[in-house]
Amino acid sequence: MTVKIAHSPNSLNTNTAIAPEVNNSKVEDRTTANTVLEMNTETLAAVVLQELQDTLKTKPAKVETVTFRIAQEVERICQKSNRIQNSGEVQSWQLSLARHRWQKCVQYYKLGSKQGRVELHSLLASMIYRHIASFRAQLSFQGRYNLIEDFLQGFYIESLRAFRREHSLDQDYTPRVKLELAEYMAFTEQYAKRQIGLPGRNRQRLIVLRAQSFAKGQPPETSLDIEMAVESPKGEDAEAFSRSSAVQQVREQMVSEAVDPAEAVLRDRVVSELINYFEAQGQDQCIDYLRLKLQDYQASDIDKELGLTSRQRDYLQQRFKYHVEKFACSKNWKLVHQWLGADIDQKLGMTSDKWEAFQATLSPEQQQILQLKRNGEDEQAIAKTIKCTPKQLQKRWAKLLDMAWVFRNNDQS
């Protein structure tokens, strides 16, 4: 004979036996076990604290406060869920939910504040990419990206307010230490993924609903005649058209994105020469890294493309930086400085006052080298004049360029 037992949410806290005459001992054991297994907030917080510290091998600042908030949230969820209360396994649910939360918190903690923000931002952006604009909108990637950025800035504010509200924190509370920031980022991810019930027993993530509402609030698209926006106005109608805010925005964007052909040619020459330099040095991995950086790849994407760990990528970045600096101070210095607008004819990128002050810091030999370079003398002639080898001249010139870079970028000079 099978008897089904229904537990009310309060039954777990009252130690009241809810058992029929059949199998009294088993039911009593189950009820007692269920009461013991449901931990209070302090006990659960202690368990979370111990497990978190064992994982991190340290005791971060504010760890007791954060673990207590996790325990409070888990307890609130378990008390409100009839399914959990009726399961007879409340402690199992408590531990499972608590571990999920502190493990997510530890994940962001290990990433650090900067990379954690990047990972969270990328995750949320991928969740709303298709929903941030109406399906009729023919937006480019850049247009959709701009909308995502605008939306997420507002969503982060909403998430922080929800975090303060649900944990009964002050209205001006802001995460200060690393663990608190990790806690907030983990909360924001969980908050974005919350399932909201819709009519017809459908459910949708909260962030998607917010993004869809955001998309509906966007102003309608405006069609513009680009040729009329570029040309000078002729007639009253054309003048009125050219004064509209939409046309002004188009003109500003066209000017801001205009590329100087000469600059583009110089840039391509620098990139081509740099690639040739890497090939000569046997630095094929630096070439791959350069090409990905030119395509604005994020660090995590570079790791995936090149099959690197974060440690290997850090090493590659240092090697890349070393070779780029060596390239910029070698025989390619003139090309690089022309591209940067810091050629020797342009006072190495300094103002007149700074240029005079910089020259005053040079030794007589350095001043002589600088003057000979300005006169257009070749390396052989300069090396002969100052009585050194061409290789020694290159080293001295590289040192002078390095001094100029430091002086140019020092605001206190």
Side-chain angles (χ1 to χ4, degrees):
M1 176 179 179
T2 303
V3 178
K4 293 184 180 180
I5 304 171
H7 293 271
S8 69
N10 295 325
S11 64
L12 295 164
N13 302 319
T14 58
N15 224 3
T16 304
I18 318 174
E21 294 295 325
V22 183
N23 293 333
N24 275 339
S25 59
K26 290 184 179 181
V27 173
E28 184 176 350
D29 290 343
R30 179 180 175 185
T31 305
T32 304
N34 198 35
T35 304
V36 173
L37 290 178
E38 185 176 3
M39 295 182 289
N40 58 31
T41 306
E42 290 76 11
T43 305
L44 181 58
V47 173
V48 173
L49 175 62
Q50 186 61 50
E51 292 184 352
L52 193 149
Q53 288 183 171
D54 290 344
T55 300
L56 293 178
K57 308 300 182 185
T58 185
K59 186 177 180 181
K62 301 287 187 180
V63 66
E64 291 91 350
T65 306
V66 171
T67 53
F68 193 78
R69 280 200 288 260
I70 291 174
Q72 283 183 316
E73 181 188 5
V74 168
E75 186 179 37
R76 184 170 61 248
I77 293 170
C78 290
Q79 286 179 347
K80 289 184 177 181
S81 173
N82 289 332
R83 183 164 65 94
I84 293 176
Q85 291 292 317
N86 294 335
S87 67
E89 299 176 351
V90 179
Q91 184 193 31
S92 176
W93 277 99
Q94 285 179 315
L95 292 174
S96 177
L97 291 171
R99 281 170 182 154
H100 177 268
R101 276 155 178 75
W102 72 251
Q103 286 169 359
K104 180 63 67 173
C105 189
V106 165
Q107 178 184 329
Y108 282 109
Y109 181 86
K110 289 181 176 180
L111 286 171
S113 59
K114 184 176 180 180
Q115 190 59 32
R117 288 186 182 100
V118 171
E119 294 294 331
L120 175 63
H121 201 74
S122 299
L123 173 65
L124 300 185
S126 66
M127 291 167 63
I128 62 171
Y129 184 82
R130 293 188 301 108
H131 306 279
I132 201 65
S134 67
F135 67 92
R136 300 185 192 86
Q138 300 297 318
L139 288 177
S140 63
F141 171 80
Q142 187 62 43
R144 196 174 292 268
Y145 173 83
N146 291 337
L147 285 180
I148 289 173
E149 291 296 302
D150 290 343
F151 167 77
L152 286 179
Q153 292 308 312
F155 186 79
Y156 292 139
I157 295 172
E158 176 189 340
S159 172
L160 182 56
R161 287 173 179 166
F163 183 80
R164 292 167 178 163
R165 183 177 62 252
E166 294 185 11
H167 292 289
S168 302
L169 298 171
D170 295 336
Q171 291 301 309
D172 60 349
Y173 168 82
T174 302
R176 300 292 183 189
V177 300
K178 187 177 178 181
L179 186 61
E180 285 183 332
L181 184 58
E183 177 194 23
Y184 164 66
M185 289 191 285
F187 175 86
T188 300
E189 179 183 333
Q190 195 72 23
Y191 182 70
K193 292 178 177 179
R194 287 184 182 179
Q195 296 287 330
I196 307 300
L198 300 174
R201 294 188 177 181
N202 295 320
R203 301 177 71 81
Q204 184 57 277
R205 286 177 170 175
L206 183 144
I207 194 171
V208 172
L209 295 177
R210 294 285 191 271
Q212 290 171 343
S213 299
F214 178 85
K216 292 177 182 178
Q218 294 302 305
E221 295 178 21
T222 304
S223 299
L224 291 179
D225 188 325
I226 299 299
E227 292 184 2
M228 287 184 66
V230 174
E231 293 178 356
S232 299
K234 297 177 181 179
E236 293 182 3
D237 293 341
E239 286 184 3
F241 173 79
S242 67
R243 286 194 297 268
S244 70
S245 60
V247 172
Q248 294 298 326
Q249 290 180 33
V250 169
R251 285 179 174 169
E252 289 175 5
Q253 191 70 13
M254 291 172 72
V255 170
S256 67
E257 294 186 357
V259 177
D260 185 349
E263 183 181 344
V265 170
L266 270 175
R267 176 182 180 275
D268 291 342
R269 281 186 61 197
V270 170
V271 172
S272 177
E273 289 296 327
L274 182 55
I275 289 175
N276 291 339
Y277 167 83
F278 281 139
E279 288 176 344
Q281 298 293 320
Q283 297 293 330
D284 294 339
Q285 202 172 35
C286 287
I287 297 174
D288 296 333
Y289 181 80
L290 172 64
R291 285 173 173 153
L292 294 175
K293 290 298 289 182
L294 290 173
Q295 297 176 59
D296 290 329
Y297 272 57
Q298 298 294 330
S300 58
D301 297 325
I302 291 176
D303 293 347
K304 292 177 184 177
E305 286 291 327
L306 301 183
L308 302 174
T309 64
S310 58
R311 188 183 187 88
Q312 290 172 328
R313 190 227 315 138
D314 289 340
Y315 175 70
L316 175 59
Q317 284 177 333
Q318 294 299 321
R319 187 151 40 96
F320 179 82
K321 181 181 178 182
Y322 165 78
H323 282 289
V324 168
E325 289 177 351
K326 188 177 177 183
F327 168 82
C329 293
S330 64
K331 64 180 181 179
N332 299 285
W333 75 268
K334 191 172 183 65
L335 175 62
V336 174
H337 282 67
Q338 282 177 347
W339 177 45
L340 296 175
D343 195 7
I344 195 168
D345 294 331
Q346 299 164 303
K347 303 169 186 174
L348 294 179
M350 302 182 202
T351 62
S352 297
D353 293 341
K354 220 167 191 180
W355 178 242
E356 294 296 330
F358 170 68
Q359 291 184 89
T361 66
L362 302 179
S363 67
E365 182 185 82
Q366 289 173 326
Q367 291 179 356
Q368 186 180 14
I369 294 174
L370 186 62
Q371 187 57 49
L372 291 170
K373 285 280 188 180
R374 294 190 73 182
N375 294 340
E377 299 285 346
D378 61 30
E379 286 191 353
Q380 293 289 343
I382 298 174
K384 186 175 181 180
T385 301
I386 65 171
K387 299 178 182 180
C388 71
T389 65
K391 191 166 185 179
Q392 289 173 331
L393 173 64
Q394 287 180 2
K395 290 182 178 179
R396 295 174 192 182
W397 179 241
K399 181 180 178 181
L400 196 151
L401 290 176
D402 189 51
M403 291 170 60
W405 185 90
V406 173
F407 200 90
R408 180 173 62 244
N409 293 282
N410 185 0
D411 294 335
Q412 304 303 320
S413 302

